[in-house]
Amino acid sequence: GSPIVLSNGTCSECTGCDTAGYNTSNHCQTCNAGIVCDRGAVNATNGCQCICDSGWTGTTCSRSLCNVTVASYTNVWAQGYRTTRSYRDLLVQSNASVVATSSRADIMVLPGGSVDCTVAQSIGFYSKIYVHPGGYVNMSCIGLYSTVYYAAATSLAGTSVRPIPCAYGASNYGVAQCACPGSSTVVALQPPATTCQRPCYNGGSPNTACTSCTNCDSPVWDVSTCGTCNATLPCVHGTRDSTTCQCTCDLGWQGISCDLSYCNTTINSNWRPVWSQNYHTTRSHRYMLVHNGSSVIQTGSHCRV
């Protein structure tokens, strides 16, 4: 904190304490007497903030970690939904299932919905899964550093690749299994509208008119469902995987359709012209355009010549 200087030059109480929990009239040194931690205790040595009991969160430790606002989540109505993008928030509806995600997914499984897989740890690392009573999760699908929150009435199937106690949290190498605290259960707060129940796959979600899917993981997917390959995108120099719809390019080719040669490179202002013999640099990530009669003999890492 810092003192409040009055017009007569004297000091009043302090302002700008590190957190609102400090008492401004006592030099930001002690905690406010009015701090209430519903399910936790005040930490007087670390910001006068509430340190919540296991399973609780919020400024006053009044909200269960199992109660999640899902207004921005994508509704999943399809069986076998997968996505290759990170940081996806998914609300799995009844009779729908998620089989694979990239890292840091937040997945809310509603009654009748499921997370299941045929390949272990297909749900990416550092994910959070919330399971309603009546939801199903195959624990072998969950990647490391993830946490599964579940209601007491929910049974989790399968065995995690490395189960760890809830108190250890997702910062540890394993999968934390956390029963909702007290009598609380998993709750989806402010769920998105469900008027459109169009099934979309591979990262897709229904468009506003509910006539097709949008935001497919890749343009190789047809927008009708993001579930069939777009026939207008051939693999020019490669072969297409029937499951992922991705082209595996022949040696020397790249791009969605394997039509870009590795040997064709765009030269722009980031490239430095080299006109000298025996040019060298200790810096990394340098782009060098070596002209006739010049030479480069040494560089740092990640350079292009």
Side-chain angles (χ1 to χ4, degrees):
S2 58
I4 298 175
V5 181
L6 302 180
S7 58
N8 61 4
T10 61
C11 295
S12 179
E13 62 184 21
C14 295
T15 184
C17 305
D18 284 339
T19 70
Y22 285 115
N23 188 336
T24 58
S25 62
N26 191 30
H27 313 289
C28 298
Q29 288 184 312
T30 58
C31 298
N32 285 320
I35 297 177
V36 176
C37 299
D38 289 348
R39 295 176 177 86
V42 176
N43 188 334
T45 61
N46 186 20
C48 291
Q49 301 176 85
C50 291
I51 303 301
C52 299
D53 297 336
S54 178
W56 298 95
T57 187
T59 304
T60 61
C61 303
S62 59
R63 182 171 66 84
S64 167
L65 284 172
C66 292
N67 297 347
V68 182
T69 299
V70 297
S72 63
Y73 281 43
T74 296
N75 282 317
V76 175
W77 299 98
Q79 283 278 348
Y81 185 95
R82 64 177 65 235
T83 180
T84 57
R85 285 176 287 169
S86 302
Y87 295 96
R88 296 302 305 277
D89 298 336
L90 306 174
L91 186 62
V92 188
Q93 300 287 340
S94 179
N95 297 318
S97 65
V98 171
V99 298
T101 71
S102 190
S103 62
R104 302 184 187 277
D106 279 14
I107 306 173
M108 174 73 75
V109 184
L110 298 178
S114 66
V115 172
D116 206 354
C117 63
T118 56
V119 178
Q121 299 186 69
S122 61
I123 302 300
F125 289 6
Y126 296 101
S127 293
K128 295 178 183 177
I129 296 87
Y130 305 89
V131 194
H132 276 250
Y136 174 88
V137 170
N138 182 344
M139 291 300 296
S140 68
C141 304
I142 312 302
L144 297 173
Y145 303 101
S146 297
T147 305
V148 177
Y149 299 95
Y150 60 96
T154 303
S155 59
L156 304 177
T159 303
S160 299
V161 62
R162 190 174 186 272
I164 59 176
C166 179
Y168 287 7
S171 61
N172 281 265
Y173 185 77
V175 178
Q177 300 177 199
C178 300
C180 295
S183 60
S184 66
T185 186
V186 176
V187 177
L189 303 175
Q190 302 175 27
T194 57
T195 51
C196 175
Q197 300 184 11
R198 186 180 188 87
C200 298
Y201 302 83
N202 296 300
S205 57
N207 64 5
T208 54
C210 202
T211 55
S212 64
C213 297
T214 186
N215 295 324
C216 307
D217 281 336
S218 168
V220 300
W221 298 109
D222 188 279
V223 295
S224 59
T225 64
C226 296
T228 56
C229 286
N230 187 342
T232 63
L233 293 175
C235 289
V236 179
H237 299 285
T239 55
R240 190 178 300 281
D241 186 296
S242 59
T243 301
T244 65
C245 201
Q246 304 290 324
C247 288
T248 301
C249 299
D250 297 336
L251 184 64
W253 296 94
Q254 61 181 327
I256 293 176
S257 298
C258 299
D259 56 347
L260 302 175
S261 171
Y262 273 115
C263 295
N264 296 341
T265 302
T266 300
I267 305 297
N268 54 35
S269 59
N270 292 326
W271 291 70
R272 296 171 178 264
V274 175
W275 296 99
S276 61
Q277 286 280 349
N278 302 325
Y279 179 94
H280 62 87
T281 177
T282 58
R283 283 181 285 180
S284 60
H285 298 88
R286 298 297 295 272
Y287 290 21
M288 289 157 281
L289 186 60
V290 187
H291 287 270
N292 184 34
S294 305
S295 63
V296 172
I297 61 173
Q298 183 179 350
T299 72
S301 62
H302 298 89
C303 290
R304 295 185 183 184
V305 183

